[in-house]
Amino acid sequence: EGAVGSEFKIDASYLSPNVSIAETVERATKIYGVSILVAESVVKVCSPEIAAKCRLIDRVLVTGSVSPMELYSIDLDYMSLTVESSPPMHINWTARQRFRVRQFLETEKKNKLREDEKMVRFFEKNSEIAAMRYRYTLEFIHVFNMGYQNYAQGEWQVAKRMLNCTKVLLGVEDGPSTALLRFMEVPYQFEAPKEWQGLREI
């Protein structure tokens, strides 16, 4: 841990287990085919309402960590949003206008960070978030959770059947279902190894 370099040149970059873990979790979004991946340590400090919005998708041992961690996805289908194709605005910004915009953004930020503000309200009331979560039905979550529990407990044939269902249940391919199926298939052919403890290395 610490600064990188030698006595002749020091790079102010900082290396630590936390940096390595964060980088690995970010890279894992490609493995699981999700936009947002959240580590167990983050979910633990969320309110119960926000934690309930996160889907447990795997339990892993990350390089740089001595303890296994659970990984969660926040299911948001950004492809379901319609992007407005408004023409670019040509504004000659004055110093006063820039100041007012910064003021407005700072006020918006403070409003969202108020003690009495609950982030779960944005999930429940924001129309764009509602649109992105629309396809993730209770049926899908229920079947995926059962598939995941069978995967974690080594009942891979049962997990295969359920995750094959959730893989296509959304109308688009579900990344976490595909990732777990791929892991169980190669090289294990859907037979959990004897030493299986419900976690894998990434």
Side-chain angles (χ1 to χ4, degrees):
E1 298 183 19
V4 182
S6 69
E7 58 183 303
F8 302 106
K9 183 178 180 182
I10 296 177
D11 186 340
S13 299
Y14 188 79
L15 297 180
S16 76
N18 291 335
V19 173
S20 176
I21 291 167
E23 184 181 10
T24 303
V25 171
E26 192 277 331
R27 280 202 313 265
T29 57
K30 295 179 181 178
I31 297 173
Y32 295 98
V34 295
S35 303
I36 304 175
L37 200 56
V38 183
E40 179 182 2
S41 56
V42 176
V43 174
K44 282 183 175 179
V45 297
C46 290
S47 68
E49 295 83 4
I50 284 291
K53 306 290 185 186
C54 302
R55 173 167 50 130
L56 174 61
I57 61 171
D58 213 348
R59 186 164 176 259
V60 299
L61 188 61
V62 176
T63 303
S65 174
V66 295
S67 303
M69 72 169 67
E70 294 177 340
L71 292 179
Y72 296 78
S73 70
I74 299 179
D75 296 318
L76 295 170
D77 176 27
Y78 62 87
M79 295 300 291
S80 63
L81 295 179
T82 302
V83 179
E84 297 178 4
S85 56
S86 55
M89 298 174 63
H90 299 289
I91 302 176
N92 294 321
W93 292 96
T94 65
R96 183 170 183 157
Q97 287 173 319
R98 290 179 190 278
F99 176 74
R100 284 182 175 176
V101 169
R102 282 198 301 271
Q103 255 188 334
F104 171 77
L105 293 175
E106 192 61 31
T107 302
E108 290 286 292
K109 179 181 176 182
K110 285 180 179 177
N111 286 339
K112 290 178 181 178
L113 295 177
R114 286 195 333 237
E115 288 285 333
D116 60 336
E117 189 60 75
K118 304 295 182 185
M119 290 307 297
V120 72
R121 291 177 191 164
F122 289 98
F123 273 79
E124 295 169 349
K125 294 183 178 180
N126 185 285
S127 59
E128 292 177 342
I129 292 179
M132 288 189 285
R133 290 182 64 83
Y134 180 76
R135 67 169 75 244
Y136 297 93
T137 62
L138 287 176
E139 177 192 5
F140 168 81
I141 296 298
H142 181 63
V143 176
F144 180 87
N145 286 343
M146 289 194 298
Y148 174 78
Q149 289 304 320
N150 280 281
Y151 155 80
Q153 293 167 16
E155 299 291 337
W156 284 9
Q157 289 295 329
V158 180
K160 174 186 175 183
R161 187 174 71 251
M162 293 181 172
L163 294 173
N164 268 323
C165 176
T166 55
K167 179 181 175 180
V168 298
L169 192 60
L170 298 174
V172 295
E173 187 175 283
D174 178 54
S177 299
T178 301
L180 296 182
L181 287 166
R182 189 183 301 123
F183 172 73
M184 290 187 287
E185 181 178 15
V186 180
Y188 303 109
Q189 298 302 309
F190 298 101
E191 291 294 332
K194 291 181 180 179
E195 67 276 9
W196 176 249
Q197 296 181 345
L199 67 104
R200 61 163 167 156
E201 293 185 11
I202 60 169

